[in-house]
Amino acid sequence: DFPSGYAGYHNHREMVAELNQTVADHGSLVKLSSIGKSHEGRDLWALKISDNVATDENEPEVLFTCNQHAREHLTVEMCLRIIKQYTDGYATNANIKNLVDSREIWVIPSVNPDGAEYDIATGQFRAWRKNRQGQGTDPNRNWGYQWGCCGGSSGSPSSETYRGPSAFSAPETQRVRDFVNSRVVGGTQQIKTHIDWHTYSELILWPYGYTYNDTAPGLDATQANVFATLGRRMAALNGYTPEQSSDLYITDGSVNDWMWNAHKIWSYTFEMYPKTGSGTSGFYPRDTVIAAQTARNDSAVELFLSYSDCAPRIIGRTC
Ligand SMILES: NS(=O)(=O)N[C@@H](Cc1ccccc1)C(=O)O
Ligand SMILES: [Zn+2]
């Protein structure tokens, strides 16, 4: 379990209990389902939030994924914050009610539960990043677009950025892939926008990560402008630094590149608090920061949801 000073973080059992409590408290707004199993057999939970939640309505869908990287425990708290905002807030906040009524919101609070549990299993943090297959695969180098193309990952199993033996070799990326693929209804991908939550550095990142170029096959200048404009608008609200992810460093096989190329989903990474840290200490802020550092993103998430029907509207275009 988490060491003292970190009890406010949810371990896997506590996270599942929180999801079940949300179903108990807001049964008409949420539907909890498993999209399958992790390598070690833990359920990968997805919570759907919407009015008429049992019906697949013709509404734009939004996906939030958290905890691809095991040690980035603050991101689980961020996904739980989004769930709380858009369920508890429904009855009292008109903006929240409008967004829940007009969208279908999917939240996957832990993509890598095996790694997250391994990181805390001894009661001392292990600074574990990857999943638990063999020496570990980095889920965020295992996605199937430009996998291993460009020096943005490692072929060495011991590496922190090991891409795996093949694209989608990790059960966890396979399950999220299959879920997203399943949201193609009548030939149209219903999920329009996505945020993948990470720590740390306080950044908002967008594709492509595999190339330094702003435009590349499947991503033209107008689309790059939409990514940057919406990214900058969100950064103005949470104080993070907005940039194309390759401005940070080249990555290949990241979730954002696949979401965009395979489905044209406007897919971002948010790197949360802290802005800087000494090595791995930055991954372990005490639980006293959880409330402020998750609520810090409330307005950026609200703006994101408001543009999720048509992100190009941010630059005055129609869909
Ligand atoms: N969370 S992190 O420290 O691992 N940083 C992320 C940053 C990142 C995320 C998405 C695309 C490119 C880069 C990573 O996957 O390397
Ligand atoms: Zn990460």
Side-chain angles (χ1 to χ4, degrees):
D1 200 352
F2 285 96
S4 66
Y6 298 84
Y9 288 90
H10 291 71
N11 62 31
H12 188 65
R13 181 188 56 75
E14 291 163 338
M15 181 197 77
V16 174
E18 180 71 14
L19 293 174
N20 288 324
Q21 187 61 53
T22 302
V23 172
D25 295 346
H26 300 285
S28 65
L29 279 182
V30 299
K31 186 178 77 175
L32 182 62
S33 54
S34 170
I35 62 170
K37 303 286 190 181
S38 68
H39 174 67
E40 292 178 337
R42 292 180 176 86
D43 278 301
L44 302 171
W45 293 107
L47 191 78
K48 180 188 177 186
I49 307 170
S50 191
D51 64 323
N52 308 315
V53 72
T55 306
D56 179 11
E57 297 186 297
N58 184 23
E59 297 172 340
E61 298 180 21
V62 184
L63 176 62
F64 297 103
T65 51
C66 291
N67 198 213
Q68 273 206 89
H69 288 144
R71 61 195 172 191
E72 300 170 16
H73 301 287
L74 186 60
T75 67
V76 174
E77 306 309 316
M78 186 65 225
C79 267
L80 294 177
R81 170 73 183 181
I82 291 167
I83 290 169
K84 196 156 191 62
Q85 281 291 97
Y86 288 88
T87 53
D88 286 355
Y90 183 84
T92 55
N93 181 315
N95 296 335
I96 287 178
K97 182 179 188 305
N98 291 338
L99 290 168
V100 171
D101 288 349
S102 59
R103 281 117 173 95
E104 295 177 333
I105 301 167
W106 297 91
V107 186
I108 300 175
S110 181
V111 171
N112 180 8
D114 301 350
E117 283 294 293
Y118 180 74
D119 190 43
I120 63 173
T122 68
Q124 306 290 322
F125 294 121
R126 283 168 151 149
W128 190 255
R129 168 188 172 89
K130 300 188 283 183
N131 79 352
R132 292 296 299 153
Q133 280 178 295
Q135 296 180 67
T137 290
D138 180 352
N140 211 29
R141 301 298 185 275
N142 188 241
W143 293 81
Y145 180 63
Q146 294 285 31
W147 176 83
C149 71
C150 304
S153 62
S154 171
S156 167
S158 61
S159 169
E160 285 284 51
T161 56
Y162 179 50
R163 64 177 78 98
S166 59
F168 294 119
S169 57
E172 296 84 8
T173 55
Q174 291 167 25
R175 295 294 72 77
V176 177
R177 172 203 63 193
D178 294 351
F179 167 71
V180 173
N181 288 345
S182 78
R183 298 310 307 137
V184 177
V185 178
T188 302
Q189 172 56 254
Q190 302 298 301
I191 300 171
K192 306 300 178 191
T193 64
H194 165 240
I195 295 177
D196 189 43
W197 296 88
H198 289 257
T199 70
Y200 62 92
S201 293
E202 298 188 5
L203 306 170
I204 293 179
L205 307 173
W206 56 83
Y208 284 123
Y210 80 89
T211 175
Y212 289 121
N213 297 332
D214 296 353
T215 59
L219 207 169
D220 67 24
T222 300
Q223 293 161 331
N225 187 16
V226 172
F227 267 119
T229 303
L230 179 53
R232 289 171 187 143
R233 286 281 304 280
M234 294 189 287
L237 296 172
N238 67 2
Y240 292 6
T241 299
E243 59 186 356
Q244 183 177 337
S245 49
S246 54
D247 294 348
L248 186 64
Y249 40 74
I250 294 285
T251 55
D252 46 48
S254 77
V255 65
N256 305 126
D257 286 9
W258 182 81
M259 290 278 183
W260 174 255
N261 189 268
H263 292 285
K264 293 294 177 280
I265 293 170
W266 301 94
S267 178
Y268 290 84
T269 282
F270 277 45
E271 289 280 358
M272 297 175 70
Y273 174 91
K275 190 173 179 61
T276 57
S278 54
T280 60
S281 70
F283 293 113
Y284 299 109
R286 286 179 175 271
D287 59 8
T288 46
V289 312
I290 292 172
Q293 292 307 324
T294 53
R296 175 174 178 182
N297 288 297
D298 286 350
S299 52
V301 167
E302 187 169 340
L303 182 80
F304 189 69
L305 284 165
S306 72
Y307 278 97
S308 285
D309 60 310
C310 179
R313 198 171 67 245
I314 200 88
I315 61 168
R317 299 175 81 93
T318 58
C319 283

